[in-house]
Amino acid sequence: MRTSSRSSPDPTEPAQREGLRWRWVRHGTAEEQPITGAVIFDYFGTLTVATPAATRRAGTARVAAALGVPSDILFEATTSTFTERSTGRCGDMLATMAWLADRCGHRPDAAQLESACGVRFEIECGYARMLRDDALVTLQALREEGLRIGVVSDCTHELRDIWDHLPLAPLVDAVAFSITMGERKPHASLYLSVCDRLGIDPPEAIYLGDGGSNELTGARHVGMSAVRLVAEDAADALVYDREPDWGGPVVHSLTEFASALVSCDRHRPPGW
């Protein structure tokens, strides 16, 4: 299973040109963060639209019906075990489903397990494909400007398994998934892994995320600059371990974030 769309940086690519440096500069503010050549994104709720908690509950109800357990009990079991499930501690998808059923006090038969896994895979893949309207154009624009792209995601098996089939995968140079790494954000290993695959040191990158999993603090702890995305759909979303007191910079769209990246080799637009 692929963990990076490119195993090592290509020194002939634009991002590797000597002297190419960027600043992230908020229009009309004094906020400025230096970077050199890499932008690292969270996935769910950042590159994808945020999934409302009610939608998550409805999806869990479908899985519960296939598994043969009450939906409210499965929802509680699912939301309280994200760390175990997203780091692979429960085994593969089938083993994880059996582990969840056991926590619900149920011993499903093989057919129920297969059915429940199939339903969950369909639902989770649907969430993974719900890209923001400006996601692809943002990644493409950043790449055309010579910036390398990374993704760090706390995720269960589904995102990793369909990654190569997502339309943004060819635009991403390196990924780090919790399900593969065995740790979840804000553990330093995820950030350091994606930086290593991009061929950079953490201070050379800027991180954008919705603040789940205390990811922004984690990014800062390894030396990255960090920006929080607060989109309109974030209010009703189910977010694990949301960043409690983020005092750093904030944007409200991917487009706004990208527009604040200014090459140090160019003149700033009027008014900046």
Side-chain angles (χ1 to χ4, degrees):
M1 183 57 58
R2 147 176 158 173
T3 55
S4 172
S5 57
R6 299 182 187 183
S7 58
S8 61
D10 182 346
T12 66
E13 291 192 352
Q16 302 301 310
R17 293 200 303 266
E18 184 177 359
L20 181 61
R21 292 181 178 273
W22 293 76
R23 286 190 297 253
W24 187 85
V25 184
R26 277 296 301 276
H27 179 71
T29 76
E31 293 174 356
E32 181 170 325
Q33 303 192 43
I35 63 170
T36 54
V39 181
I40 298 173
F41 293 88
D42 169 46
Y43 191 75
F44 290 106
T46 300
L47 292 173
T48 74
V49 299
T51 307
T55 301
R56 290 279 184 179
R57 279 189 175 274
T60 300
R62 290 182 55 199
V63 177
L67 196 59
V69 300
S71 61
D72 57 337
I73 294 177
L74 181 61
F75 186 79
E76 171 61 27
T78 300
T79 55
S80 65
T81 60
F82 183 63
T83 295
E84 291 87 348
R85 295 182 299 103
S86 66
T87 55
R89 298 177 191 176
C90 307
D92 62 15
M93 206 178 306
L94 201 65
T96 300
M97 188 63 69
W99 181 81
L100 278 172
D102 185 67
R103 286 182 66 93
C104 296
H106 182 55
R107 294 293 179 90
D109 58 32
Q112 287 176 308
L113 282 175
E114 289 283 356
S115 177
C117 284
V119 172
R120 177 176 166 81
F121 186 80
E122 173 195 337
I123 292 169
E124 292 296 322
C125 290
Y127 299 150
R129 294 188 175 102
M130 294 170 58
L131 298 177
R132 295 194 180 278
D133 291 341
D134 53 354
L136 293 177
V137 67
T138 295
L139 296 185
Q140 185 62 51
L142 295 177
R143 286 181 60 84
E144 289 175 356
E145 291 291 350
L147 290 159
R148 295 181 67 80
I149 306 297
V151 166
V152 175
S153 180
D154 284 350
C155 61
T156 48
H157 301 86
E158 298 83 9
L159 178 61
R160 182 189 64 185
D161 290 352
I162 67 164
W163 178 257
D164 288 333
H165 302 289
L166 294 174
L168 53 59
L171 302 176
V172 177
D173 299 291
V175 299
F177 295 142
S178 62
I179 193 69
T180 302
M181 298 292 298
E183 299 285 355
R184 58 174 289 220
K185 294 178 284 189
H187 198 277
S189 62
L190 283 86
Y191 306 97
L192 297 178
S193 174
V194 79
C195 285
D196 182 63
R197 294 169 188 178
L198 290 171
I200 61 169
D201 293 323
E204 299 176 89
I206 189 166
Y207 183 92
L208 179 68
D210 66 347
S213 300
N214 292 296
E215 62 187 350
L216 305 173
T217 299
R220 277 189 168 178
H221 279 169
V222 299
M224 295 180 185
S225 298
V227 178
R228 183 175 184 176
L229 174 68
V230 181
E232 290 184 0
D233 54 26
D236 299 325
L238 175 64
V239 179
Y240 294 106
D241 302 324
R242 191 191 298 270
E243 200 88 27
D245 299 303
W246 177 247
V250 171
V251 295
H252 299 91
S253 71
L254 298 177
T255 300
E256 180 187 349
F257 171 78
S259 71
L261 284 170
V262 180
S263 173
C264 298
D265 300 327
R266 302 178 183 177
H267 297 293
R268 294 189 188 183
W272 284 55

